[in-house]
C-alpha cells in the first residue's frame, strides 16, 4: 500500500496535490486514468467523447468542448476542441476548431445544439479531413439524431460545418456511432437506430460525406448498444460498446467479427479491476464509457481504449480513462491501472 502511494505521488502528483499541480513541466511520461489531465499550458484537457487520428508523426485528439462550469441540462456543448501530441502523454492545445454558432440562431450548430462524440477521418480521394458528430438541433432535446459533418484541409483545423444527414435509414436518425475507416479507405457508420435502438451498419459514399445505399441491422449486437468503438487486427474486427443509461455508467460489452456486415460474436465485458478513485469496477466500466480505440503507431499491434467519466452537472470537469487494450485468445481485455506507459 505504501509503495503504491509513493508511486502515485511521484508519477501522478495530481492525485494528492489537489489536482492543480499536474502540469507536465518535465514532460509527462505516464497515463493517469481517472485523474485531471492537463495540456502543455497547464489547463485541463477539454475534449470529451473524442477520437484521434495520426498524421505525419503527430496525433490529433478531437473531442467535445464543454462550456466551462455548465451542466448538460443548461446546454454545455461549445464545439470541437483539438489537441496535438507526438507521444500521446503531452498535448498541445490547438483550440476550438469547430465552434457552435453564437451569431445565427437558425444555424444547425447554433449555441444550444447538442454536439457530441466528434470523430475525424482523412479521405485520400478528396484530400479532405472529414469530421462527424452527433447533432441534435437547438431546443429539441434528444429527439431526432443527425450526423453533423464538417470538413477541413488541415488536421489542426479550422473545420467548416458542411451539412447533416439522418443515419440508419430512419426519420428519427441515429444516436451514438463509430465511423470506422477500413484499410481500403472505405468508411462505415455503425450506429444505434432511433427510436427502436437496433444496432445498424451502413457504408459512406466515396466522398465520405453521405451514406450510400441502405443500412443493415446487426441482429447479433444487442439493442441499445451505445458508444461503439472499433479496431481491426489481423483481419478481425473488434468492437467495444456500452449499454444505454444516459450519463450514468453501465457495463461495457465487446464483439468480434470477420465481416463488418454480419457474424458478430459476443465476447462479454472486457473490463477487469477497480478504479482506485471511485471504487467502480467492470459492472460500471470504472465509472466511464468507451469513446474510441486508438492504434498506437509507434507500437504496431498495441491499442489504447479511450473512455470518458462524464460529469453532467459540471460537464467540463469530466475525466478521461485511457487504458491498454489487450487482444488475447480472440478476447478483449481492458484492465484498470493507476498509472502506466507503453
Ligand atoms: C450516452 C451517450 O453515449 C452520450 O454521448 C450522451 O449522448 C449521453 N448518453 C446523454 O444522455
Amino acid at each position: 500500500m505504501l509503495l503504491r502511494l509513493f508511486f502515485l505521488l511521484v508519477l501522478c502528483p495530481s492525485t494528492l496535490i489537489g489536482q492543480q499541480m499536474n502540469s507536465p513541466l518535465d514532460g509527462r511520461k505516464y497515463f493517469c486514468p481517472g485523474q485531471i489531465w492537463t495540456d502543455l499550458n497547464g489547463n485541463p484537457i477539454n475534449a470529451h467523447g473524442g477520437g484521434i487520428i495520426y498524421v505525419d508523426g503527430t496525433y490529433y485528439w478531437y473531442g467535445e468542448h464543454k462550456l466551462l462550469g455548465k451542466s448538460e441540462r443548461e446546454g454545455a456543448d461549445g464545439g470541437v476542441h483539438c489537441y496535438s501530441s507526438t507521444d500521446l502523454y503531452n498535448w498541445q492545445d490547438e483550440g476550438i476548431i469547430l465552434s457552435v454558432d453564437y451569431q445565427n440562431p437558425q444555424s444547425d450548430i447554433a449555441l444550444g445544439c447538442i454536439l457530441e462524440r466528434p470523430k475525424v477521418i482523412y479521405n485520400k480521394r478528396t484530400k479532405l479531413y472529414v469530421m462527424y458528430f452527433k447533432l441534435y438541433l437547438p431546443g429539441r432535446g434528444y429527439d431526432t439524431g443527425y450526423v453533423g459533418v464538417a470538413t477541413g484541409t488541415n488536421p489542426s483545423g479550422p473545420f467548416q460545418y458542411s451539412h447533416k444527414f439522418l443515419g440508419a435509414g430512419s426519420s428519427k436518425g441515429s444516436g451514438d456511432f463509430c465511423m470506422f475507416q477500413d484499410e481500403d479507405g472505405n468508411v462505415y457508420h455503425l450506429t444505434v437506430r432511433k427510436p427502436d435502438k437496433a444496432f445498424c451498419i451502413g457504408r459512406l459514399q466515396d466522398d465520405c460525406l453521405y451514406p450510400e445505399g441502405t443500412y443493415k441491422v446487426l441482429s447479433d449486437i444487442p439493442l441499445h448498444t451505445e458508444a461503439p468503438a472499433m479496431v481491426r487486427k489481423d483481419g478481425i474486427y473488434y468492437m467495444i460498446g456500452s449499454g444505454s443509461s444516459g450519463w450514468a455508467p453501465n457495463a461495457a460489452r465487446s464483439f468480434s467479427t470477420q465481416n463488418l456486415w454480419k457474424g458478430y460474436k459476443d465476447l462479454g465485458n472486457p473490463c477487469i479491476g477497480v478504479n482506485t478513485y471511485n471504487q467502480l469496477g467492470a459492472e460500471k466500466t470504472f465509472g466511464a464509457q468507451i469513446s474510441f480505440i486508438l492504434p498506437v503507431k509507434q507500437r504496431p499491434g498495441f491499442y489504447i481504449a479511450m473512455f470518458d467519466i462524464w460529469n453532467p452537472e459540471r460537464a467540463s470537469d469530466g475525466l478521461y480513462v485511457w487504458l491498454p487494450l489487450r487482444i488475447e485468445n480472440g478476447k478483449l481485455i481492458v484492465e484498470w491501472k493507476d498509472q502506466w506507459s507503453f
Side-chain angles (χ1 to χ4, degrees), residues 64 114 116-117 134 136 142 176 226-227 242-248 289-290 310:
E64 300 162 24
I114 294 171
E116 292 178 344
R117 298 188 166 274
K134 275 172 71 184
Y136 294 85
Y142 285 94
D176 287 7
E226 288 192 341
S242 74
S244 177
S245 48
W247 298 107
Q289 187 182 29
I290 187 79
W310 301 112

Side-chain angles (χ1 to χ4, degrees), residues 145-179:
Y146 294 93
V147 176
V149 182
T151 59
T153 50
N154 276 306
S156 57
F159 281 71
Q160 276 82 38
Y161 177 67
S162 168
H163 63 277
K164 62 184 183 305
F165 65 81
L166 287 169
S170 165
S171 60
K172 287 285 178 193
S174 59
D176 287 7
F177 66 80
C178 119
M179 286 294 178

Side-chain angles (χ1 to χ4, degrees), residues 258-330:
Q258 292 180 328
N259 181 337
L260 282 174
W261 295 89
K262 61 180 183 191
Y264 285 77
K265 198 162 111 191
D266 192 335
L267 303 178
N269 187 338
C271 298
I272 299 180
V274 174
N275 178 338
T276 312
Y277 309 107
N278 60 17
Q279 298 305 316
L280 295 176
E283 72 294 344
K284 297 284 183 204
T285 314
F286 317 121
Q289 187 182 29
I290 187 79
S291 175
F292 194 72
I293 300 173
L294 173 68
V296 176
K297 292 294 171 189
Q298 290 96 325
R299 277 201 45 194
F302 186 80
Y303 305 93
I304 297 177
M306 294 167 48
F307 301 80
D308 294 277
I309 295 184
W310 301 112
N311 187 335
E313 290 309 316
R314 282 181 61 88
S316 54
D317 290 358
L319 298 169
Y320 311 100
V321 170
W322 287 22
L323 290 167
L325 169 67
R326 298 188 335 245
I327 304 178
E328 282 176 17
N329 303 322

